[in-house]
Amino acid sequence: MTQSLTIARPDDWHLHLRDGAMLQAVLPETARHFQRAIIMPNLVPPVVTGAQAKAYKDRIMAALPDGMSFDPLMVLYLTEDTDPEDVAAAHASGLVKAVKLYPAGATTNSASGVKDFDKVRPVLDKMAEIGLNLCIHGEVTNHEVDIFDREAVFIETVLDPIRKANPDLKVVMEHITTKDGVDYAKSNEKNLSATITTHHLIINRNHILAGGIKPHYYCLPVAKRENHRLALVEAATSGDKRFFLGTDSAPHVDPAKESGCGCAGCFTATNTMALLAHVFEEEGALDKLEGFASLNGPAHYGLPVNQDKITLVKSDKPTVFPAKIESGDGPVTVFDPGYPVYWDVK
């Protein structure tokens, strides 16, 4: 017996496509189900200027297979040397939908990020003036702060002061992983939303560390305790418009993940919608899936809801997802939830 759910075609409000051979391999995995995505700018070198964002978008569109429809929403990488006027011009052209704040050293290719937040205040002021979103990787990088506490400390010591100094700034707390993040997003009524990833709805830190190190579950921000995962699930399935999907799907070739210093990132583009249907059904909240995946993100970004639809179908046999995606750089492991999933997109 089958069950189906038709929703507006979803968007991914946090996506890594990389470049070159990897871009060509992973882009179809997103474009198959998603109409738009916020494209992370942490290439090497990073996408800092409007001209670089335009060139990157051109490469993405050139890699899109014939017959597929996809709209990359470009993002600039915030540095201490970012020019506020270049940001404003890129936004005015319609090209750039957000600027990304990486604390220096917080995650993959973030060495060019911000160390002194006072140096970027002119950019933040300009963004507030023109209504441009600031997307935040919310972790401090101080070595003395435990890695499992870095999100909560960032909220208290960095994010809250930024927002109090500039309450008109539109902010997206990306890939929140803690109850602290959920509670902070809920406590603010204006100009603040949060994305939640697919994998953080499914795994906690035991999945990474119990019974041997599992590198394909390692991501940044790292998965936390079970009570934090449950808080994320409650937020995602609640219907609260402040929470929406940002997969943070982040491809790395297997040798880079399975090494002495493995890269952070889970690749979920291939099976995200099926996994979300499973999670939302488990919570008795399938009626809330469209809001989380297709409606709340456009509302925050001031964009129209996609007119196309997708249909999710549940069958009586487990869905078989590919274990790996092959790229010209090497194989990429697809995220495995660790349990059978009976949903798929038809």
Side-chain angles (χ1 to χ4, degrees):
M1 182 175 180
T2 61
Q3 178 181 352
S4 67
L5 175 69
T6 298
I7 63 173
R9 191 175 178 192
D11 301 304
D12 186 348
W13 300 97
H14 183 127
L15 177 67
H16 295 271
L17 287 177
R18 312 302 189 203
D19 214 343
M22 184 63 77
L23 166 62
Q24 292 182 333
V26 302
L27 175 58
E29 301 301 299
T30 288
R32 187 174 297 121
H33 300 155
F34 295 90
Q35 177 61 50
R36 298 172 293 205
I38 283 283
I39 307 299
M40 289 297 102
N42 58 332
L43 304 182
V44 180
V47 179
V48 175
T49 67
Q52 291 169 338
K54 175 62 168 61
Y56 187 26
K57 182 175 183 178
D58 289 346
R59 297 197 298 275
I60 293 170
M61 297 309 295
L64 186 67
D66 291 342
M68 280 190 158
S69 171
F70 180 68
D71 184 10
L73 306 177
M74 307 311 293
V75 178
L76 297 181
Y77 185 118
L78 182 62
T79 75
E80 293 175 5
D81 297 318
T82 294
D83 178 1
E85 296 308 318
D86 181 71
V87 170
H91 174 62
S93 73
L95 172 68
V96 165
K97 303 301 183 185
V99 172
K100 179 63 182 278
L101 168 60
Y102 290 103
T107 189
T108 303
N109 299 339
S110 62
S112 300
V114 177
K115 296 179 181 178
D116 184 347
F117 288 91
D118 286 334
K119 292 183 178 179
V120 298
R121 292 196 184 279
V123 180
L124 301 184
D125 290 342
K126 175 60 71 173
M127 291 173 61
E129 176 188 329
I130 63 179
L132 182 58
N133 283 277
L134 178 68
C135 295
I136 288 182
H137 181 113
E139 293 184 289
V140 296
T141 55
N142 315 47
H143 292 300
E144 63 269 21
V145 178
D146 189 284
I147 192 169
F148 293 104
D149 298 329
R150 291 181 178 183
E151 182 173 298
V153 172
F154 182 91
I155 291 169
E156 178 182 355
T157 63
V158 180
L159 177 56
D160 198 52
I162 285 176
R163 295 190 66 251
K164 285 178 177 175
N166 205 330
D168 293 328
L169 182 65
K170 294 182 69 175
V171 175
V172 179
M173 301 168 65
E174 294 195 309
H175 48 47
I176 58 171
T177 60
T178 61
K179 186 177 184 298
D180 308 78
V182 169
D183 290 345
Y184 186 76
K186 285 182 176 180
S187 71
N188 290 271
E189 297 295 331
K190 179 183 176 185
N191 294 334
L192 182 69
S193 295
T195 61
I196 301 175
T197 76
T198 313
H199 54 281
H200 284 123
L201 293 173
I202 294 172
I203 64 172
N204 61 36
R205 63 188 189 179
N206 278 1
H207 291 82
I208 308 170
L209 299 170
I213 294 174
K214 312 296 195 307
H216 294 288
Y217 290 142
Y218 172 61
C219 57
L220 287 173
V222 69
K224 308 298 194 299
R225 290 180 181 272
E226 176 66 0
N227 65 302
H228 294 296
R229 186 192 71 83
L230 293 175
L232 298 175
V233 171
E234 189 282 327
T237 60
S238 68
D240 190 322
K241 294 182 179 180
R242 290 169 290 198
F243 300 100
F244 46 88
L245 174 64
T247 67
D248 195 18
S249 182
H252 294 282
V253 295
D254 286 352
K257 291 287 292 179
E258 302 166 359
S259 69
C261 186
C263 294
C266 296
F267 181 69
T268 58
T270 301
N271 53 1
T272 271
M273 292 311 301
L275 299 183
L276 288 179
H278 176 96
V279 170
F280 277 66
E281 183 185 34
E282 288 284 295
E283 297 300 309
L286 274 174
D287 61 320
K288 303 295 196 302
L289 178 56
E290 184 176 46
F292 180 71
S294 309
L295 307 181
N296 300 346
H300 176 89
Y301 277 88
L303 295 171
V305 174
N306 296 318
Q307 295 301 302
D308 289 347
K309 307 285 186 179
I310 67 165
T311 297
L312 289 144
V313 175
K314 183 183 181 183
S315 65
D316 57 0
K317 294 182 180 180
T319 303
V320 178
F321 302 108
K324 299 180 187 297
I325 299 298
E326 295 297 332
S327 80
D329 294 330
V332 177
T333 293
V334 175
F335 178 80
D336 179 0
Y339 49 68
V341 173
Y342 296 85
W343 289 89
D344 201 3
V345 178
K346 300 299 183 184

